[in-house]
Amino acid sequence: MVLAQILCAGVLLLWASSIPAEQKAAERAQQAGGNYTPTGGSQSQDSGQASATAAAESLRQGTKLTMQGQFAAAIPLLHAAQTGGASGYAAGFNLALCYVGTGRYVDAITQLQALQGMGRNTAAVNNLMAQAYLGKGDLQQAWASIQEAARLAPTDEKMYALLLNACTDHYAYALGLQVADLGLTALLDSARLHYERAMFLARLDRFDEAKPEFAKAAQLDPGGDVGYLALVQERLYQDRLPEALDLARRAVNAGHRDYQMLSLLGTVLMFSGAAPASPEFAEARSALEASVSERGDYSTSQIALGKLYLMEGRAAEAIPHLEAGRRLEPQNPAVYTSLASAYRRIGDKQASEASLSTLAALLREKAATAAREQVQP
């Protein structure tokens, strides 16, 4: 799934507008090769100006790395920008995003709380706060942040989509259903939200309730990306693979080459029994490679492509994709089985055994969670 931490493309667009005018002026001056003196300063304050310029450059570089998904590399630069006094909001928000992207959820929450303390209680801040709490496993606080984000931006469909992706990534299906319901109170005719609501109902084994939601999404977006996704997913949940495959092919051939549709096409072809060297297998490979190329942070495509390469005997090429899937969706047991097989095939016994150990621990954890849920009243 699209990892909440990496999937903040909608939020990334807010950064430029969040940088104060002085910060933007400093960046323009740097691009022009000149110097910039903050409002109220003087040319005699060379030391302060140099410090501000260095902080602005750190912020620029850190933001660039963040937008490229290089979160670990961006963190020290953003720290330097923050220490040097560069834009409190931009540096703090970017730093929080990087912390979420590297699984440092407590650090992200601390940064975001500081922004709120500065009076920046924005929808974007609460959106990211909710994702951090989801990563931390605190669903109650996540829901509180989600409600606040919705209060501040009740009709922002992209915001709900990011939150729903985060719920999917962290297997918080019941919470995801709540988010979809919350969004639909303000966006009753959103095909995307009806589709997401259907998906969460289906994941919760409530397919009878999901069917009318799939139908509603298709009705609201006839012939569109979401409409096709709804039709394909509905068939998949009913195990009607030939129909799902036909719809996915029709959608892609009609120009709906969304990364999710391409991933669905490749995955359905594999489920349908496409064998290596067959035309269907080549079609699946092409679709999955295109999906990964468009959206490298979509774990479903990364894992499926890794498995496909493994089926072709290309273990060394499979590993980077499977490792990407593991980073994006660490709670998915299926990725560890494939990783163990891939590492074994290239002769890395230690890595193979480590993958199996992680899988065993994950399955024990899931069994314990299921047992606790059964004894709850």
Side-chain angles (χ1 to χ4, degrees), residues 21-41:
E22 288 190 354
Q23 179 65 40
K24 292 182 180 179
E27 292 179 356
R28 286 195 297 271
Q30 287 178 333
Q31 292 168 2
N35 296 318
Y36 170 72
T37 302
T39 303

Side-chain angles (χ1 to χ4, degrees), residues 191 203 240 262 274 298 352 359:
R203 291 169 183 139
R240 294 156 62 183
L262 289 165
Y298 191 50
S352 178
L359 173 61

Side-chain angles (χ1 to χ4, degrees), residues 292 301-303 305-306 309 317-326 335:
V292 166
S301 296
Q302 291 282 12
I303 295 170
L305 184 57
Y309 284 158
E317 294 173 73
I319 289 171
H321 295 287
L322 293 171
E323 284 288 3
R326 179 191 61 78
V335 70

Side-chain angles (χ1 to χ4, degrees), residues 28-340:
R28 286 195 297 271
Q30 287 178 333
Q31 292 168 2
N35 296 318
Y36 170 72
T37 302
T39 303
S42 68
Q43 293 297 328
S44 64
Q45 297 174 318
D46 291 340
S47 178
Q49 181 177 344
S51 178
T53 300
E57 178 62 15
S58 293
L59 178 60
R60 186 189 69 80
Q61 292 182 8
T63 299
K64 181 179 179 180
L65 288 170
T66 304
M67 296 181 73
Q68 293 172 347
Q70 299 182 48
F71 301 124
I75 288 173
L77 288 165
L78 295 171
H79 265 305
Q82 199 173 54
T83 303
S87 169
Y89 181 78
F93 187 87
N94 294 358
L95 193 52
L97 180 55
C98 289
Y99 283 145
V100 173
T102 52
R104 296 170 60 177
Y105 302 116
V106 174
D107 289 332
I109 291 166
T110 299
Q111 283 289 326
L112 293 166
Q113 288 174 336
L115 292 179
Q116 290 175 326
M118 294 164 50
R120 304 305 295 267
N121 186 46
T122 66
V125 166
N126 281 280
N127 179 345
L128 193 55
M129 181 80 84
Q131 296 182 47
Y133 277 123
L134 272 165
K136 185 172 175 282
D138 190 337
L139 300 189
Q140 184 175 353
Q141 287 294 337
W143 176 235
S145 295
I146 288 167
Q147 290 176 300
E148 179 66 4
R151 183 187 71 81
L152 293 166
T155 59
D156 188 342
E157 186 183 57
K158 289 184 178 178
M159 178 191 71
Y160 292 114
L162 288 169
L163 292 168
L164 291 163
N165 284 335
C167 290
T168 300
D169 289 341
H170 296 287
Y171 301 88
Y173 298 151
L175 181 60
L177 183 58
Q178 286 182 272
V179 175
D181 287 341
L182 181 62
L184 284 168
T185 60
L187 297 166
L188 185 60
D189 292 328
S190 167
R192 169 61 64 180
L193 293 182
H194 280 287
Y195 167 72
E196 295 289 358
R197 187 172 193 274
M199 289 297 293
F200 282 107
L201 285 167
R203 291 169 183 139
L204 290 166
D205 295 324
R206 295 163 59 180
F207 186 70
D208 286 343
E209 297 172 70
K211 283 194 290 187
E213 291 296 305
F214 280 127
K216 182 69 172 179
Q219 175 190 346
L220 289 168
D221 188 34
D225 288 343
V226 174
Y228 268 117
L229 285 171
L231 293 172
V232 174
Q233 290 284 18
E234 182 183 16
R235 269 61 173 187
L236 286 177
Y237 274 103
Q238 293 177 310
D239 291 325
R240 294 156 62 183
L241 287 181
E243 292 178 45
L245 178 56
D246 179 62
L247 281 165
R249 278 174 166 158
R250 282 165 48 191
V252 170
N253 291 335
H256 298 283
R257 299 183 63 83
D258 171 81
Y259 69 95
Q260 289 179 290
M261 184 58 70
L262 289 165
S263 181
L264 271 178
L265 175 58
T267 303
V268 174
L269 282 163
M270 291 175 68
F271 283 160
S272 299
S278 70
E280 293 78 13
F281 197 87
E283 183 183 4
R285 185 198 310 114
S286 176
L288 291 171
E289 287 175 342
S291 178
V292 166
S293 177
E294 180 183 341
R295 193 67 178 262
D297 55 13
Y298 191 50
S299 62
T300 299
S301 296
Q302 291 282 12
I303 295 170
L305 184 57
K307 290 182 176 181
L308 182 144
Y309 284 158
L310 199 56
M311 290 171 66
E312 285 188 296
R314 299 161 61 184
E317 294 173 73
I319 289 171
H321 295 287
L322 293 171
E323 284 288 3
R326 179 191 61 78
R327 288 192 300 272
L328 294 166
E329 201 176 347
Q331 301 300 308
N332 186 344
V335 70
Y336 295 102
T337 304
S338 296
L339 269 173

